[in-house]
Amino acid sequence: MLSQVGVVTREKPLLPRTKRLPGPVVAVGHQGSGLTALAVALSMLGYTCCSDLDRLPAPEEQRLLRGERGRLFNAYVNVGSLSLEALKQIAKASPSARFITTSADQVLPPAVHDRALRLTPHVKDKWATLSEFLDVDYPAFPYPTDRDFGLRAVSQRTPLNSARNSTDLRSDTAPWILKPAREWSGIAV
């Protein structure tokens, strides 16, 4: 019956097209200023977020700094290897990049000021501020209150002696599911 009225077609749910999210989004700040909550909020908005790491995997960082396609993530929150110089490079290479700081005294390079947001703990309605900045709809759920993880050290990945077969879930486009990539083996923390 639902297929007759156009709700279900070939067993796929009819979902509205989502608006392309601006980005990449890069967020910096001091420990305890709400960085992990911001990472969760960006994921709730549909961003594939990499957060709270001392460094990015080298291929991902190079693509980000050069503004290249093929990045696995479109939001980077509290990544230790993204220095002020790196923020300048990202701003130059990616004209649509957005920058967020969660600390009032965080220094940002002048090149990013026209694309920057200060989302400090004192902002009363973080969703309104973030939604307006990213030009997305105001979410119907509360802003996350997760405590900051801090920077987690990325360790060298040890190859497995054996691996189980897996199934590619092509229909799952959730922001926490990464698309398969040849050179991607995950992040070990």
Side-chain angles (χ1 to χ4, degrees):
M1 179 63 151
L2 292 176
S3 63
Q4 293 175 351
V5 294
V7 175
V8 177
T9 307
R10 293 188 185 181
E11 298 182 21
K12 284 182 162 179
L14 181 60
L15 298 172
R17 290 252 182 229
T18 56
K19 188 171 28 169
R20 184 179 169 108
L21 296 168
V25 173
V26 180
V28 296
H30 300 302
Q31 174 70 25
S33 64
L35 287 163
T36 300
L38 174 61
V40 173
L42 290 170
S43 294
M44 292 165 79
L45 292 174
Y47 282 90
T48 304
C49 191
C50 182
S51 67
D52 301 312
L53 299 175
D54 65 345
R55 61 186 163 84
L56 287 174
E60 184 74 12
E61 186 164 347
Q62 290 307 311
R63 286 187 186 109
L64 176 62
L65 295 175
R66 294 178 185 150
E68 295 174 355
R69 293 175 179 247
R71 291 186 314 270
L72 296 170
F73 302 96
N74 57 2
Y76 306 85
V77 179
N78 194 27
V79 176
S81 61
L82 298 180
S83 63
L84 285 177
E85 187 58 39
L87 296 181
K88 284 187 218 175
Q89 280 183 267
I90 295 166
K92 184 177 180 182
S94 301
S96 63
R98 306 286 175 96
F99 301 88
I100 302 172
T101 179
T102 56
S103 304
D105 60 345
Q106 179 75 40
V107 177
L108 292 173
V112 307
H113 282 282
D114 61 331
R115 299 181 269 164
L117 170 68
R118 289 202 184 272
L119 193 67
T120 63
H122 304 295
V123 173
K124 290 188 190 218
D125 191 350
K126 289 181 175 54
W127 273 138
T129 306
L130 189 59
S131 298
E132 183 180 328
F133 178 68
L134 297 173
D135 191 29
V136 297
D137 293 333
Y138 190 102
F141 27 84
Y143 190 85
T145 57
D146 300 51
R147 290 180 35 203
D148 282 355
F149 284 139
L151 292 177
R152 297 174 289 174
V154 175
S155 60
Q156 189 66 25
R157 196 167 228 341
T158 309
L160 297 173
N161 293 333
S162 65
R164 294 182 179 176
N165 290 338
S166 65
T167 303
D168 181 15
L169 302 175
R170 295 169 203 260
S171 63
D172 196 342
T173 59
W176 49 87
I177 305 291
L178 292 176
K179 295 177 184 170
R182 261 185 278 140
E183 73 274 351
W184 178 253
S185 62
I187 300 174
V189 290

